[in-house]
């Protein structure tokens, strides 16, 4: 399908700069633009490509100021990234959906699913499972006994959900992710063996949560491990037993949260960060990449960095000085000698 | 089922403080206590909840000293955490077990399994596999040729065990874990390509090992990668080829051990730590979270921290000073000026 | 099968020191050598075992100088590690290959595969998939619609490939790895919710790539996430959307690369390192273990270390000084007092 700049601009409520009749039939990145495609510019790092790209149409922010002439047609919108996302959404909705229950799936007769279900081949559904409307379970998914899954939720291939867990509506969970494995609880014995603490709780994933691939979310010892509404988790993340993640909190790839820690709403936990157990993290906190949080963070909106993590601005000052340590140390040794000389001269 | 404080106390060999006739039918965390439930108190951080919880019965350590009156009935025991675990174990044993071999599993005719086996749908068992008594293979498990699995071992959904690996008795392996994938061995060639070093060894997992979800344990180049008896591994851990983990060693989530490293018994490797290859780590060593171990640790019981890791007490002293570096550096610059002045005055 | 030192030496073009008639029928590590086995010595750390091993034959580098007499027969070759690898390859080729399409696999009728295919039980192949000759898809693999897989590629159990991805020839992908899950793209809304940015691109894996177990490689937002020819990825690695990895680049376990970063050819990214998004890393760059790369690296062959990462030689000098910080700080405080005294004496 082809669309003119004019049609797209009208759909987005934008303003055209250039030829309104130019047509596109695909998307491209601005730095790899091709004729007949539409690109967007949001990250200022990429502005230079505006003048060299071959893209036919570029979505830009309203306030963009042009330094030179350009060949592409611009569509100015309030937020180029979001406008681009709207167009991608239109495209995605045009892709035909999988439907139907495959004869090669196993569904226990005690379990139920709603209308428009897609249940793929080799997917296993245990006893007393309740699955809402418009749910997609791709092939090779495992759903343990007593699990509940809300409407419009998608589980990609190979997701495993252990017994008793609850997954909300509008959730997306990517391939290979494990929900509800046992928390890591062992009591040391006098003979140096460990005795397993049974993990009889569950995992509750609230509505509109997206979870990436190969994530692990352990069930609670007792009670629930909770992922708050609208939270977004990237790939290869570890969430330990009895953790609670607040609504709309974002956790980036390979980060880990240890047992019983409670993270507030609207936080951002950057990639490869670690948070130790039994802590409380306030709302809107940002934890920098690879940081190690070892204490409660009580101040809303606090930004921390480093391992052990503390205020990011101070930590950055420390980085600046510590990088100079070898030369400072040489100066220090010199100074010691000078003071020694001064003392002798007395 | 309901139990009185009296009955529970007798089972645990404890001592009641309060009403022996109060009844419970569920467990709860002390900080989320509800009437009719039993909680425990072991971590002193949670002591304050003792006075406000609605739990009907609380297991506490013998030596607990009460500051105020409380409404719950206490059961005093030697070790509240272990006593609580015993009760959870009773509960778990009451959950009905899966049994039987599903018609939708594939089992090569050359393979054998013992009595009371549970082999779930879509599980694949290759050639010459030997599986002991009371083994549970959940759905979608893969067992390669020549694998041996001991009695009472549980493999959760989607575990993959490559050919020739040995898994002991009483082991638990959580969903998505990969046992026996190729070690990462490539020989650089003059043309900058890499030539694969075939990995013809295996993985040996001794008895009573528990392994979390989405862990990867690579097979040895030659010989065996070995996980010692009673070792406990959390989620998303990487164990490289020819690594040996000692008995009863604990490794926490997202840690990694590089090739051919040998870790002693009763060690604790905390979360997100990394240990480089070809090292030897003594018994009872503790490696702090996010640490990077780059040298042998020869001293039994040594505690190390940091990246590169060294003695934890010294490392913590370094942390204290390095946090002050910006202010120390200001003082240092000041001092340099003063010395300069003193020199001029001569 | 048994081979004499003479036969092996002739195959490798080596030179025998010792008894040419001694026979071996298995491989062993030099430190665990047994009679009747062949070992190799490449890492100088293991040289001491040369004098104590019970291995019958040892492959060594031509330039090896013996300190004492030894009992084993040596075969001197140009590169002992590569020669050993050649022998392992011979062994691996003698292991019988899986072949045939299992009746318990699901293959959409619109999809095609070449000759000598192995397609295991419970493997799912979607619509319009094109699979080359001699391809092995182990059990429980998922291949989404429109995927293409080149000749001689092996996908181990449970690998999941999302729709539209391209996998080259001669690739090996280990169990549990996810190719083509959605990139982590969400646009923050004014109400603190996040709106998903559809990820409509794909993943392209070029020829001769090896990828370890439980790796995650996200599809591009638009365009492609690209893994260059001959690249080698270890286990549990995160590759975000729109990343490009250059040819023959090696990434070690648990490392992560954030969105849109482009890594050059022949680089080595060591274990647990992280590279932030939208960066460019030159060819032949080495990033040390656990490092955090936060800036472009423009110099070919640069070696960086630390978090934030910079020149490894300088970083090591910083490590040396920062380890002494507590004692330096004591000296500094002393010096301050002395200068104060000197000032007073004036």
């Amino acid at each position: 399908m082809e669309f003119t700049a004019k049609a797209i601009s009208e759909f987005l409520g934008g303003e055209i700069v250039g030829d309104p009749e130019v047509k596109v039939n695909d998307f491209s990145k601005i730095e790899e633009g091709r004729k007949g495609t539409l690109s967007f510019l949001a990250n200022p790092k990429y502005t230079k490509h505006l003048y060299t790209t071959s893209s036919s149409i570029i979505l830009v922010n309203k306030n963009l100021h042009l330094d030179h002439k350009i060949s592409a047609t611009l569509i100015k919108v309030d937020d180029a990234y979001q406008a681009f996302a709207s167009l991608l959404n239109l495209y995605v909705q045009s892709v035909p959906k999988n439907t139907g229950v495959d004869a090669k799936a196993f569904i226990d007769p005690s379990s139920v699913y709603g209308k428009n279900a897609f249940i793929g081949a080799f997917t296993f559904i245990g006893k007393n499972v309740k699955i809402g409307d418009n749910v997609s379970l791709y092939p090779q998914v495992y759903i343990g006994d007593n699990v509940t899954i809300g409407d419009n939720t998608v589980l990609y291939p190979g997701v495993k959900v252990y017994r008793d867990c609850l997954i909300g509506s509008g959730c997306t969970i990517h391939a290979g992710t494990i929900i509800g494995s046992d928390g890591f609880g062992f009591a040391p014995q006098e003979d140096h063996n460990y005795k397993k603490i049974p993990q009889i709780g569950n995992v509750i994933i609230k509505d509109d949560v997206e979870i990436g691939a190969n994530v692990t979310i352990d069930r609670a010892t007792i009670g629930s491990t909770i992922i708050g509404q609208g939270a977004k988790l990237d790939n290869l993340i570890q969430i330990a037993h009895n953790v609670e993640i607040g609504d709309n909190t974002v956790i980036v790839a390979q980060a880990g949260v240890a047992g019983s820690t409670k993270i507030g709403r609207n936080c951002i936990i950057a990639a490869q960060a670690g948070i130790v157990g039994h802590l409380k993290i306030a709302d809107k906190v940002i934890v920098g990449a690879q940081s190690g949080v070892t204490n409660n963070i009580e101040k809303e909106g606090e930004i921390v960095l480093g391992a052990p993590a503390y205020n990011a601005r101070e930590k950055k000052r420390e980085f600046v000085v510590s990088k100079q340590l070898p030369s400072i140390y040489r100066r220090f040794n010199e100074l010691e000698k000078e003071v020694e000389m001064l003392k002798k001269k007395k």
Side-chain angles (χ1 to χ4, degrees), chain A:
Chain A
M1 287 196 295
E2 275 196 337
F3 298 91
T4 62
K6 201 178 152 203
I8 294 167
S9 181
E10 275 168 12
F11 172 78
L12 295 172
E15 178 198 339
I16 296 181
V17 181
D19 176 6
E21 297 306 327
V22 66
K23 285 176 184 162
V24 293
N25 64 5
D26 197 2
F27 301 97
S28 69
K29 291 186 277 186
I30 189 166
E31 70 273 28
E32 299 173 353
R34 304 182 314 274
K35 203 167 176 256
T37 68
L38 177 145
S39 301
F40 77 105
L41 173 65
N43 185 337
K45 263 183 140 172
Y46 289 79
T47 304
K48 60 183 176 191
H49 296 292
L50 195 61
Y51 304 102
T52 55
T53 186
S54 302
S55 304
S56 298
I57 302 178
I58 304 168
L59 304 186
V60 298
N61 290 332
K62 244 180 188 163
N63 56 7
L64 177 86
H65 175 77
L66 281 183
D67 292 335
H68 317 287
K69 279 187 89 170
I70 62 161
S71 61
T73 291
L74 299 184
I75 300 179
K76 291 188 160 187
V77 291
D78 285 347
D79 183 326
Y81 187 45
Q82 304 236 14
F84 188 72
S86 311
L87 296 182
L88 291 177
N89 263 315
L90 270 193
Y91 169 85
V92 163
Q93 280 158 27
S94 74
V95 174
K97 285 241 155 45
N98 293 300
T99 50
V101 175
D102 196 288
K104 289 175 187 252
F106 172 88
I107 304 174
D108 189 273
S110 61
S111 291
V112 294
Y113 51 87
K115 57 187 182 192
N116 300 321
F118 163 50
I119 300 179
F122 317 125
T123 280
F124 176 95
I125 298 176
K127 299 187 180 79
N128 306 314
V129 171
K130 285 181 188 58
I131 296 175
D133 293 340
N134 309 309
V135 167
S136 291
L137 304 183
Y138 274 75
Q140 300 149 340
V141 164
Y142 171 87
I143 307 292
D145 297 346
N146 314 316
V147 167
T148 297
I149 299 177
D151 297 342
N152 304 309
T153 282
V154 178
L155 270 56
Y156 279 101
V159 169
K160 314 297 183 201
V161 184
Y162 281 55
R163 54 179 298 131
D164 305 325
C165 294
L166 307 179
I167 298 177
S169 299
C171 293
T172 300
I173 303 181
H174 281 280
T177 282
I178 311 299
I179 308 291
S181 41
D182 279 357
F184 196 62
F186 300 90
Q189 308 295 298
E190 281 181 15
D191 61 358
H192 297 303
N193 290 316
Y194 288 88
K195 192 168 144 192
K196 182 177 175 76
I197 309 297
Q199 306 288 310
I200 69 167
N202 71 348
V203 175
I204 298 177
I205 294 173
K206 302 263 175 96
D207 298 344
D208 303 319
V209 168
E210 178 147 349
I211 299 175
N214 282 346
V215 168
T216 58
I217 304 181
D218 280 352
R219 70 196 306 108
T221 310
I222 46 175
S224 300
T225 304
I226 299 172
I227 310 296
Q229 185 171 335
K232 309 297 177 196
L233 276 64
D234 200 349
N235 299 337
L236 289 168
I237 287 165
Q238 153 72 355
I239 304 292
H241 50 178
N242 291 97
V243 164
E244 297 182 14
I245 306 291
D247 296 351
N248 293 318
T249 278
V250 170
I251 307 184
V252 189
Q254 296 178 315
V257 184
S260 299
T261 283
K262 289 177 183 27
I263 297 179
R265 296 156 170 251
N266 306 113
C267 294
I268 298 175
I269 314 298
Q272 298 184 333
I275 303 182
V276 309
H278 297 274
L279 297 186
K280 260 191 124 155
I281 309 296
D283 294 345
K284 299 185 186 168
V285 163
I286 298 178
V287 175
Q290 295 187 324
S291 297
V293 179
T294 55
N295 287 103
N296 290 336
I297 301 179
E298 285 161 18
K299 196 180 147 204
E300 189 176 307
E302 175 77 337
I303 306 178
V304 300
L305 193 62
Y310 65 98
N311 182 279
R313 210 161 9 154
E314 289 173 31
K315 184 74 196 178
K316 280 176 187 166
R317 279 195 210 114
E318 183 197 321
F319 283 148
V320 169
V321 179
S322 65
K323 208 170 155 174
Q324 304 171 64
L325 271 179
S327 75
I328 295 174
Y329 188 44
R330 277 193 299 274
R331 283 162 58 194
F332 174 74
N333 282 324
E334 196 53 44
L335 197 65
E336 260 189 350
K337 276 182 219 150
E338 284 175 6
V339 170
E340 202 52 38
M341 298 258 284
L342 285 170
K343 279 161 67 186
K344 276 178 188 158
K345 278 184 183 164
K346 299 273 137 181

